[in-house]
Amino acid sequence: TCSVDRFLILWKLKTQCRAYRFAGHAEAVTSVEFSPDGQVLASASHDHTVRLWIPCIHGESSVLKGHTASVRSVSFSHDGYSVVSASNDKLIKIWSVCYQRLLFTLFRHTGWVRCAKFSPDGRIIASCGEDKSVNIWDTRNKICVNSFSDDEGFATFVDFNPSGTCIACAGSNNTVKLWDIRTNKLLQNFKVHRAGVNCISFHPSGNYLITASTDGTLKILDLLGERLIYTLHGHKGPVLCVAFSKGGEKFASGGKDAQVLLWKTNFDTLDYEEVLKHNFRRTHIDDPPHLLDIYPRSSHFHGEKLKSVLVS
């Protein structure tokens, strides 16, 4: 996790007894991500730098300098060889992890760039900024091949679905939009929050999307059924980020209340094929079954007694 307190904290979830705090950034840390193999951490900060960390007790890091304003987001490519960063200097930069140097820069945004992500196959990059545009870039030709624009508000966060065919955008205008990047069509537009959406995360199956909002809630959306499943309350104040675990059995959320909450999902109560069957039935029968018939409601995870973690 990263925070405006300038630290990164590495939490051990299995033992739940100790966490390591890494210091190095001079200002608030805005984004952090593990490499696909888990051997490297990348972080972005308001101090204009990107750092690469070895996630061990001492937490050695190397600094990547090139941006001239706050770096808002950092993300690894699928092979872990590259990192993409988005900044308030209106630029997107791609860095080599192995050689720790700048590979190339993408520029077309006319406002602060809030987020940039590699597609699952690494061939394209999606970025969004406060100029109200979402751009799709070809990493080989280094050109912008497509652009989606939104008149209502700007996208604060963008990500690819696991198959790489769609992008989801979290909007400052309280919406979550899904675009098909092959046909350039808006597939779904969810208006379920009462304030801006700050972050989204796809379940590994691609069937569900979780959203974090300034209205203090997390919401889980069923993309096949095109409906809201759950609204989760736990944070006191805006929820800034959310992410599913690699297998999708857990997800974590962070908020302005300086808390990180770890949640357990109940999607794995049914096999994915069963879920698909249920969803097929739900869209092809006049009277679909109620969602609680499919997913038995479990008790709220945050209702249990919380365990504290010691930070060394």
Side-chain angles (χ1 to χ4, degrees):
T1 59
C2 61
S3 167
V4 292
D5 64 9
R6 307 193 307 276
F7 297 114
L8 268 71
I9 294 187
L10 184 65
W11 311 85
K12 290 197 172 183
L13 303 182
K14 288 231 170 98
T15 52
Q16 286 207 325
C17 63
R18 190 169 286 278
Y20 299 116
R21 188 164 64 184
F22 301 154
H25 282 294
E27 292 183 47
V29 190
T30 53
S31 174
V32 66
E33 191 178 87
F34 269 105
S35 62
D37 62 4
Q39 299 299 306
V40 183
L41 275 169
S43 62
S45 169
H46 283 321
D47 64 10
H48 306 183
T49 67
V50 172
R51 277 181 183 256
L52 299 175
W53 307 77
I54 306 297
C56 61
I57 294 175
H58 304 297
E60 297 93 350
S61 70
S62 52
V63 187
L64 305 177
K65 292 180 179 176
H67 285 292
T68 56
S70 298
V71 188
R72 301 297 286 263
S73 124
V74 68
S75 184
F76 279 94
S77 60
H78 71 300
D79 54 15
Y81 294 160
S82 308
V83 161
V84 60
S85 59
S87 168
N88 284 2
D89 61 10
K90 306 174 188 174
L91 301 177
I92 297 153
K93 291 184 182 287
I94 290 80
W95 311 82
S96 165
V97 174
C98 180
Y99 300 108
Q100 296 177 14
R101 64 180 177 84
L102 179 67
L103 295 175
F104 55 92
T105 301
L106 303 173
F107 44 89
R108 174 167 170 159
H109 283 285
T110 56
W112 292 358
V113 191
R114 296 291 292 259
C115 183
K117 296 273 185 181
F118 276 102
S119 62
D121 62 7
R123 290 189 298 177
I124 55 178
I125 287 171
S127 65
C128 63
E130 295 192 10
D131 56 4
K132 297 188 176 180
S133 69
V134 177
N135 292 339
I136 307 294
W137 308 82
D138 184 330
T139 56
R140 288 167 297 185
N141 302 328
K142 304 170 184 57
I143 55 169
C144 181
V145 292
N146 208 342
S147 189
F148 305 98
S149 59
D150 196 336
D151 301 328
E152 301 166 30
F154 61 87
T156 58
F157 193 91
V158 66
D159 204 2
F160 287 88
N161 69 339
S163 64
T165 57
C166 303
I167 56 167
C169 305
S172 62
N173 58 337
N174 315 355
T175 63
V176 175
K177 293 183 176 179
L178 266 80
W179 301 85
D180 188 321
I181 58 172
R182 299 163 300 179
T183 60
N184 303 336
K185 283 186 179 167
L186 178 64
L187 296 177
Q188 293 173 357
N189 183 7
F190 292 96
K191 296 181 179 177
V192 291
H193 283 289
R194 296 191 310 275
V197 186
N198 299 314
C199 189
I200 49 178
S201 179
F202 277 99
H203 188 262
S205 68
N207 297 338
Y208 307 98
L209 187 71
I210 192 161
T211 62
S213 169
T214 302
D215 65 14
T217 65
L218 297 152
K219 290 183 189 276
I220 298 176
L221 307 171
D222 176 0
L223 300 181
L224 293 174
E226 298 190 20
R227 61 201 282 177
L228 170 67
I229 308 181
Y230 296 129
T231 298
L232 305 173
H233 302 269
H235 286 282
K236 299 172 183 71
V239 191
L240 301 178
C241 59
V242 66
F244 272 110
S245 61
K246 212 169 186 178
E249 67 282 347
K250 292 190 181 96
F251 58 94
S253 60
K256 268 209 173 147
D257 55 4
Q259 282 196 109
V260 178
L261 300 181
L262 188 65
W263 308 75
K264 196 164 181 273
T265 58
N266 60 355
F267 303 147
D268 49 3
T269 52
L270 283 176
D271 189 71
Y272 288 141
E273 285 177 21
E274 284 295 311
V275 173
L276 286 168
K277 267 190 224 163
H278 276 296
N279 277 287
F280 182 82
R281 234 177 282 145
R282 201 160 71 202
T283 51
H284 287 76
I285 288 182
D286 293 334
D287 189 20
H290 192 270
L291 205 80
L292 296 184
D293 301 336
I294 303 169
Y295 301 110
R297 187 179 287 279
S298 59
S299 60
H300 274 301
F301 185 67
H302 63 266
E304 296 173 17
K305 198 171 179 188
L306 295 169
K307 294 174 184 164
S308 348
V309 178
L310 174 73
V311 176
S312 68

